[in-house]
Amino acid sequence: MPKQSTASRLFAYALVYKFRIIGALLILCCAVGAELCGPFITKTIIDKYLSTGGGDLSSVLWLIALYIGLIFIASVCNFTQSYILQSTALRIIKNMRMDLMKHIQRIPLKYFDNTPIGQVVSRIANDTEAVRDLFMSFMATFVVSLVQLTGIYIALFILDVRLALFCLPLPLIFIVIMKIHLKYSKRFITIMRARLSDMNATINESIAVMPIIQAYRREKVTLEEFEVLNEDRYVNQVKQFRVFSLSSRNIVGVIGSLVTALVVWYFGRESLQTVISFGVFYAFIDYLSRIFVPIIGIFDQLTNAQRAFVSSEKVFAVMDLEGMEVEKSHEVSRPEGIVKFDNVTFAYKSGENVLKHISFEARKGETIALVGHTGSGKSSIMNLLLGFYEPDQGTISIDGTDITTHSKQALRKHMGIVLQDPYLFAGDIKFNVSLYNQDISLERVQAALKDVGAASFVEQLPNGYDEQVVERGSTLSSGQRQLISFARALAFDPSILILDEATASIDSETEGLIQQALKVVSEGRTTLVIAHRLSTIREANQILVLHRGEIVERGNHDQLMAIEGRYYKMYQLQRGEKAS
């Protein structure tokens, strides 16, 4: 199925509120019509006043009252259409932003591995906001200008056919100028939007790693990198403004002055041969000057329209990425937790396998530990089990069922995960444990925190379980954050528990608390542990030693120590003993 054009997709969003938009534009037409009647009424007032010598004031006053009434009607209509159109534009952008956010939840994790976070944020925040101007400003301006030009030319033909025909080519001339403007302007606007995304990505990265930047004295280099992007955006913005200045008010003003001068000369010449009423002369000049107002209005909004189209192309490019539907998982039964990898091979990049023919089985209630040097493939095994990536070869099953037959939500419903770098959300302590899951009560939250040994320090906080977490939990120690992350996993009562180097960043005392808790919570659960501290996995039922994506040793602690292989050497090194 061919992809829809950007214009058609924007139109589809507007179509949802077609009656509101049509109503607003009809009201807008009424306002424009009321305003266009002004010169005709003024012409009639002048003609009546001059023809009666100022004697018939009653009819003149009625015309003045009608003029004032039309001004009032135009004012009310302008307010009404502006409110309806702007509120509708905000609704359209709200829907677009939500659609984009929903789709981001469906995009595979691989996309986020290769895309800076700042660029994704820019799509949701900046680009959708730029699209708003298309519906809020350009649409109203375009319709107003079209109605105004139509009404003005009708009035000009009524007043003088020859002069109206003389002015008829003006819109065609400006259309050619606008096409030239759009051709050169789009190039600069595209670069400007791209640099804005790059700048957002740089800012996001700089703030996230500010301690590293300051520790390694990289402030100057970071500023220089940002300055390159900022300068490039500035240069292209100046070029775009140069195109705008040359092709908008400047050229419209020049052409408008020349045409007005020609019309005045024409009327002056005609006045020597025939009698032309002063009212007709005033009305024609008034309408002629009004021709250039809508043209200038369209030129002023062309930049916003182009920015909106460039931004919408970037938004729709994200929406076009293949994603998986977020399915409901309420009816998913709890698995026993039998995990099996059967001859699994996987590569992040084609031809560069990070896992090669991985096979193992974890029975219900067993603890399987994965050890190995950095890059050996430990985390990749967990990523495959969680469904973040799909294996290139082989199968992964839970309770004998291939996980590819499950929806991602069903697959992860009964899994708990604790990462090496625990992430705490903005909110209070109890929220960070329950994540607003209605099935998890406060009592269950408190029990989970107690099981991992976190209740003691949480209850000592000023607000206890209601204590607010700020800046990813920066007010808490790394060990405290990790304990809360453990409590989160336990509160969800998973049948499969995944610990990704979860004890690597905590002190010995906290590690003791966690080890004590794990003995309780691992009962009846399948636990997979990635560990650098080999002392924490001595009780594991099976230890898998990985090297360059392959399992080179397997067995429990005593068995692996007995063969004095790779695991034995790693263990001895960590104990500070010389490996034999």
Side-chain angles (χ1 to χ4, degrees), residues 307-326:
R307 188 184 299 117
F309 268 94
V310 170
S311 298
S312 60
E313 286 173 358
K314 295 182 179 296
V315 169
F316 292 136
V318 176
M319 288 188 178
D320 288 336
L321 294 172
E322 186 178 354
M324 299 292 292
E325 289 296 327
V326 179

Side-chain angles (χ1 to χ4, degrees), residues 10 13-29 31-32 76-95 129 131-145 147 301:
L10 289 171
Y13 273 98
L15 199 61
V16 176
Y17 300 102
K18 57 182 178 295
F19 295 114
R20 289 175 62 88
I21 294 175
I22 291 171
L25 297 181
L26 288 176
I27 294 172
L28 184 57
C29 291
V32 173
V76 172
C77 289
N78 277 322
F79 168 79
T80 304
Q81 68 82 20
S82 178
Y83 175 80
I84 294 175
L85 206 56
Q86 292 195 36
S87 62
T88 303
L90 292 174
R91 291 187 183 190
I92 291 172
I93 298 309
K94 181 191 73 171
N95 293 344
E129 198 67 20
V131 177
R132 183 189 64 173
D133 293 332
L134 182 68
F135 296 104
M136 187 176 292
S137 303
F138 182 77
M139 184 184 295
T141 302
F142 183 79
V143 172
V144 167
S145 301
V147 173
Q301 292 300 325

Side-chain angles (χ1 to χ4, degrees), residues 324-504:
M324 299 292 292
E325 289 296 327
V326 179
E327 301 176 14
K328 295 181 179 180
S329 59
H330 300 300
E331 306 300 325
V332 178
S333 59
R334 180 184 177 87
E336 289 189 25
I338 302 173
V339 177
K340 184 176 181 180
F341 277 61
D342 185 11
N343 199 33
V344 172
T345 298
F346 170 70
Y348 292 102
K349 294 182 179 179
S350 180
E352 300 179 11
N353 292 337
V354 295
L355 293 177
K356 306 169 187 175
H357 311 294
I358 300 296
S359 297
F360 69 88
E361 183 176 0
R363 300 182 181 88
K364 178 181 178 181
E366 286 188 343
T367 297
I368 304 296
L370 306 176
V371 300
H373 296 298
T374 300
S376 59
K378 305 183 299 296
S379 295
S380 297
I381 289 177
M382 299 305 188
N383 287 335
L384 291 174
L385 178 58
L386 287 163
F388 293 147
Y389 300 91
E390 301 292 340
D392 298 322
Q393 296 177 18
T395 58
I396 304 171
S397 62
I398 296 178
D399 293 353
T401 304
D402 192 334
I403 65 171
T404 57
T405 63
H406 294 287
S407 71
K408 301 306 180 185
Q409 287 64 47
L411 174 65
R412 299 163 189 156
K413 180 176 176 61
H414 295 288
M415 288 188 186
I417 183 169
V418 180
L419 302 174
Q420 178 181 1
D421 184 17
Y423 189 93
L424 299 186
F425 297 90
D428 54 32
I429 298 292
K430 64 178 185 292
F431 157 70
N432 269 283
V433 176
S434 67
L435 298 182
Y436 290 142
N437 189 318
Q438 297 180 353
D439 296 329
I440 301 177
S441 63
L442 178 59
E443 291 75 19
R444 189 165 161 184
V445 170
Q446 293 172 337
L449 288 166
K450 183 179 180 181
D451 287 341
V452 300
S456 56
F457 84 80
V458 170
E459 291 171 356
Q460 292 176 5
L461 295 172
N463 298 311
Y465 297 98
D466 296 320
E467 181 74 12
Q468 292 293 313
V469 175
V470 295
E471 293 298 328
R472 300 182 60 180
S474 59
T475 56
L476 302 173
S477 69
S478 60
Q480 289 172 335
R481 294 197 299 271
Q482 192 64 280
L483 286 173
I484 293 173
S485 182
F486 260 92
R488 178 194 299 161
L490 301 181
F492 279 80
D493 191 25
S495 59
I496 300 172
L497 183 62
I498 298 172
L499 308 178
D500 190 350
E501 302 182 26
T503 60

Side-chain angles (χ1 to χ4, degrees), residues 90 107 156 172 185 210 213 256 259 266 276 287 303 308 326 370 443 449 459 464 480 489 523 533 569:
L90 292 174
I107 296 175
L156 290 177
L172 298 177
S185 184
M210 188 60 71
I213 291 175
V259 172
Y266 174 82
I276 300 177
Y287 280 121
T303 300
V326 179
L370 306 176
E443 291 75 19
L449 288 166
E459 291 171 356
Q480 289 172 335
E523 186 69 30
R533 292 187 184 182
K569 293 177 182 179

